[in-house]
Amino acid sequence: MTDPQIMLAERVQQALARAFGAEHADADPLIRPSQFADFQANVAMSLAKRLRRAPREVAEAIRAELSDFPGTVEVSGPGFLNITLSDSWVESEATRMLADRRLGVGTITPSQTVVIDYSAPNAAKEMHVGHLRTTIVGDSLARLHEHLGNTVVRQNHLGDWGTPFGMLIEHLLDIGEETSVAQLEAGQGTEFYQAARAKFDSDDAFRQRARVRVTTLQSGDPETLRLWHVFMDATIRYFNKVYELLGVTLTDADLAGESMYNPMLQQTCDDLEASGAATLSEGALCVFPPGFTGSDDKPLPLIIRKSDGGYGYATTDMAAIRYRVHDLKADRILYVVGNEQALHFRMVFAAARLAGWLPETVSAEHVQIGMMLGKDGRRFKTRSGESVKLMDLLQEAVERARGAIADRGYDEATTREIAHAVGMGAVKYADLSVSHDSEYVLDFDRMIAFTGNTGPYMQYATARIRSIFRKAGVDPAEAAGPIALGAPAERALGLYVLGFGELVSQVTAESEPHRLCAFLYQTASLFSTFYDECPVTKEGVDPETRKHRLALCSLVLRVLETGLDLLGVPVPERM
Ligand code: ARG
């Protein structure tokens, strides 16, 4: 099937070439959905200036060349082209889409290897709400790329290394392995960290032990490494519980924490220094990527090795980018990380280009994640001012969902299943439906609502279509069509969903899942109008019409389910 806007753009460009010569064939036809027709093309206005002719005259000339067009074209106002597609074109395209397993979603050829760095909680602290969005947005991007046929390499860049591990391991020894493991698995990483920190700040002997432990850890002492593993394994088991609850696609195979790069850091520094990309400045090894200056107009350093010889966050990221390009063979690297790290990533990318580690053919992109705010407009915190535990937030969402469906009369097992899907769907959709780089306010009442652009509304829309099929006693997969679009609400719906394939490609290319949410929401809204105006299973609907309408329902159901799956939003069978 064909995306109407793409088809129109091609037709208008061919008309431009015929009317004004090939050199104008690549002008943007400026096609937009319109309230006066299906679409409006505004290219005549922009072209008229270049051609020094009257816009209306230019529009007329384009229209004359669109004679074999599947629909009608009218010139209106100062030179708008109002375009209405013929019903038969829309019908046959919708019917083709229904028969297409991929619903018009293409595959990228040649396929790319896309490395996606997402989630990346810090092991020394509890996984908090800030890591929720990076996890959910990253996972949706991974699903989108895979759906388009790209090879996705997920990289969970855990914060699992560094000086805090000295005191964490000593604290682990103090309270015992078993107690530590139990605490960490239960998600009490923050309490664990705070207890270690308190001793570090008040107890000289402990501080001394912690310092020594950092050194033995870094020197690769086997017993210390074993203790580090005890700590990490328990922490990762907790992360995995969160991932499982959320239904994200990350597995242990995707773990690529900071510790993994440890053996590469010295080489990273040596190579950067030898190539001249990094230089010593006040004892520290630094890259000064061109174009970065501080407030004092002095070149801004990316510190690769501190003056005390220690490595830092940037060192690891330099090693990681080289590994991703060289070993993982990335064509594209997406860093789904909070927007407060924007400068860090711009400098890492620039330093890697300078070092020749990031060739022009590979794109590195920071998919910036905006901060999650509480209803008071401040950083999301508990009442006592601590950061909110992810697990608590997810459980609250499930509880609230349970409350919202309590009156539906389902048995306990079904209730649990639906509450889980609705709770997670609400949280995930709320994260995804706002553009990833803008801040967003976490508001339970709003995200769990069954109306508006919410997860539960979208889930409800699909469950409602499924119930139409149950009532009709027809399997959605058997509703073969053809699709006929008699009523205006039917036609509007059929025309709109034709844009699905192109939209999914754009959303993937631009890393913008919120536009997929908007598309699905508009689809569900158009479906709602259609269902109000066009009875499907009611008595008195003639069998032909019923068949056409069930086919349209089936198409919409698959668009919604595929779209929600690409977002990672679960779809309960009934609600
Ligand atoms: N662990 C880091 C944090 O929580 C995020 C890591 C992101 N990825 C990276 N390659 N730096 O801030």
Side-chain angles (χ1 to χ4, degrees), residues 117-123 128 130-131 134 155-160 256 258 261 313 316-317 320 324 335-338 340-341 344-345:
D117 177 327
Y118 71 102
S119 193
N122 297 317
H128 61 84
H131 293 112
T134 66
Q155 293 282 279
N156 191 351
H157 195 92
L158 291 185
D160 63 354
E258 294 178 13
Y261 299 99
Y313 190 54
T316 308
D317 263 324
R324 289 166 183 181
Y335 292 79
V336 188
V337 187
E340 71 281 357
Q341 296 190 30
H344 166 76
F345 284 113

Side-chain angles (χ1 to χ4, degrees), residues 136-441:
I136 291 170
V137 172
D139 206 55
S140 173
L141 296 177
R143 290 164 185 263
L144 284 160
H145 279 283
E146 271 171 353
H147 193 64
L148 293 190
N150 285 335
T151 302
V152 172
V153 186
R154 294 165 174 78
Q155 293 282 279
N156 191 351
H157 195 92
L158 291 185
D160 63 354
W161 201 253
T163 45
F165 283 87
M167 71 179 191
L168 292 170
I169 291 173
E170 285 305 319
H171 180 60
L172 180 139
L173 285 171
D174 285 359
I175 65 170
E177 289 184 31
E178 218 174 301
T179 315
S180 301
V181 166
Q183 258 189 34
L184 294 167
E185 277 183 356
Q188 289 165 2
T190 307
E191 288 82 347
F192 190 97
Y193 178 87
Q194 282 166 351
R197 181 83 221 183
K199 282 192 280 178
F200 188 88
D201 290 338
S202 61
D203 178 342
D204 288 342
F206 181 86
R207 187 163 49 241
Q208 189 52 31
R209 269 159 56 204
R211 293 215 167 112
V212 174
R213 189 59 76 177
V214 175
T215 331
T216 49
L217 179 65
Q218 272 158 358
S219 68
D221 168 55
E223 173 60 10
T224 304
L225 274 179
R226 187 188 69 78
L227 293 167
W228 175 81
H229 267 296
V230 169
F231 177 92
M232 276 315 302
D233 293 352
T235 303
I236 288 168
R237 278 197 291 278
Y238 169 68
F239 291 162
N240 282 340
K241 279 189 219 164
V242 174
Y243 294 150
E244 205 185 302
L245 197 62
L246 278 172
V248 294
T249 58
L250 282 170
T251 68
D252 284 354
D254 309 316
L255 292 171
E258 294 178 13
S259 64
M260 185 180 105
Y261 299 99
N262 206 36
M264 310 175 197
L265 300 183
Q266 191 183 332
Q267 194 68 49
T268 302
C269 292
D270 291 350
D271 291 350
L272 285 171
E273 195 172 4
S275 71
T279 46
L280 282 169
S281 167
E282 294 168 33
L285 185 65
C286 305
V287 180
F288 294 93
F292 292 87
T293 45
S295 51
D296 51 3
D297 272 354
K298 277 208 217 132
L300 212 55
L302 182 72
I303 301 176
I304 307 295
R305 192 182 59 222
K306 290 178 243 168
S307 53
D308 66 3
Y311 304 124
Y313 190 54
T315 326
T316 308
D317 263 324
M318 288 304 290
I321 203 165
R322 179 152 74 161
Y323 169 77
R324 289 166 183 181
V325 173
H326 186 267
D327 296 78
L328 299 180
K329 310 255 179 292
D331 296 304
R332 204 174 159 188
I333 315 174
L334 305 178
Y335 292 79
V336 188
V337 187
N339 55 12
E340 71 281 357
Q341 296 190 30
L343 179 63
H344 166 76
F345 284 113
R346 278 199 291 132
M347 292 186 77
V348 166
F349 300 162
R353 296 243 187 252
L354 191 69
W357 295 357
L358 182 63
E360 287 303 326
T361 49
V362 178
S363 83
E365 299 155 50
H366 179 193
V367 179
Q368 299 190 26
I369 301 297
M371 204 197 287
M372 187 139 128
L373 306 176
K375 269 196 192 166
D376 58 359
R378 301 253 189 87
R379 191 188 264 274
F380 191 73
K381 293 248 167 79
T382 59
R383 274 212 208 111
S384 58
E386 283 155 40
S387 60
V388 173
K389 288 190 183 176
L390 201 47
M391 203 52 130
D392 293 348
L393 182 140
L394 297 182
Q395 266 150 10
E396 176 161 359
V398 174
E399 279 318 305
R400 289 194 184 225
R402 179 182 271 275
I405 58 161
D407 58 355
R408 311 261 159 117
Y410 292 120
D411 60 49
E412 172 56 21
T414 312
T415 303
R416 197 176 319 127
E417 208 182 294
I418 299 177
H420 177 261
V422 171
M424 290 309 102
V427 170
K428 294 177 91 174
Y429 194 90
D431 260 340
L432 290 161
S433 59
V434 178
S435 121
H436 62 73
D437 54 352
S438 54
E439 295 178 331
Y440 110 89
V441 176

Side-chain angles (χ1 to χ4, degrees), residues 97-98 100-101 103 554-563:
M97 183 174 175
L98 182 69
D100 177 6
R101 203 173 45 82
L103 295 169
S554 169
L555 178 61
V556 172
L557 179 64
R558 279 170 58 215
V559 166
L560 293 178
E561 289 189 338
T562 306

